[in-house]
Amino acid sequence: MTALRRHRPLLAGLVAGLLVAVVLTWLLDPARWLRPGLGHVFVIGTCSYSKVALDILRADPQAPFVPLVLPADAPEFEADACDVARARLRQGGAFWLGVLPRDYVCRRLRDLAAARFASETTGEGYPAWVGAGGEFAGLGVDPRQIAELGLTPPPPVVRFWIEGGYDRALVESLGFTVPEGTVQGPRDPSPMASAPQ
């Protein structure tokens, strides 16, 4: 009994250390940072439509999507997407991301995006939207796609659509306000079907 009493602090320390290790492992797993009710969108810095998706998310802090950036040689875009993701994840309950180093969080989110992209999407393009339940929700930034996702584009994105060839009446019928002075571009049945060069 005396030996057990002497080792009690050691056993308590081991148990406490084990609990801390389990909690840290849980807190540092980026898959756990994605909270229920939040979908995500895979974006990449070499795709102009990914930049549009990020503009849409940045303009609407309540949008239920977190951008997950795929690794590419585009450090400025990756940093911007990571900042938007960190803010959304912290707002969604992962408050501890505020104390973790930014570079660490960004690297872990890039790793998560790379690991999940092929299994959660068709792998055919960007941005690739995935709903809160893990279901693939579509590709691109077509006005119909954005309306189906329940997102609200900022005025520059609406202008981009109209000037890029989407019919003004279609865009307005989806509930989006066209900024004054927007000029209708040449109409194309699918203006954003292929990525710009």
Side-chain angles (χ1 to χ4, degrees), residues 3-189:
L4 182 59
R5 211 174 279 149
R6 271 188 303 203
H7 292 14
R8 217 179 262 170
L10 177 63
L11 291 173
L14 288 172
V15 168
L18 180 62
L19 288 174
V20 167
V22 167
V23 168
L24 281 177
T25 300
W26 188 86
L27 290 175
L28 297 178
D29 178 4
R32 303 251 185 245
W33 301 346
L34 299 174
R35 312 309 283 172
L38 280 179
H40 48 278
V41 57
F42 293 101
V43 294
I44 193 164
T46 55
C47 169
S48 63
Y49 300 149
S50 288
K51 295 172 185 172
V52 172
L54 192 58
D55 288 343
I56 291 169
L57 294 181
R58 189 183 301 102
D60 183 3
Q62 301 305 316
F65 289 92
V66 173
L68 293 181
V69 66
L70 291 155
D73 191 20
E76 188 175 303
F77 176 81
E78 291 177 13
D80 191 20
C82 180
D83 288 342
V84 172
R86 286 174 62 228
R88 285 179 187 277
L89 293 170
R90 286 173 57 193
Q91 180 184 358
F95 60 88
W96 58 91
L97 296 183
V99 297
L100 293 176
R102 179 179 182 262
D103 290 344
Y104 172 81
V105 172
C106 293
R107 182 172 39 82
R108 294 301 303 267
L109 288 173
R110 275 193 312 270
D111 293 346
L112 178 67
R116 286 189 166 187
F117 178 70
S119 65
E120 292 184 349
T121 74
T122 60
E124 295 173 352
Y126 316 101
W129 302 89
V130 177
E135 69 285 353
F136 177 64
L139 291 170
V141 291
D142 176 276
R144 289 170 286 252
Q145 175 72 37
I146 298 306
E148 286 173 16
L149 294 170
L151 300 173
T152 304
V157 170
V158 176
R159 179 176 285 116
F160 168 74
W161 285 335
I162 305 289
E163 292 176 353
Y166 280 101
D167 183 62
R168 180 185 190 112
L170 166 71
V171 173
E172 289 176 331
S173 75
L174 295 168
F176 303 133
T177 303
V178 177
E180 280 194 43
T182 301
V183 177
Q184 175 69 58
R187 290 196 182 107
D188 184 336

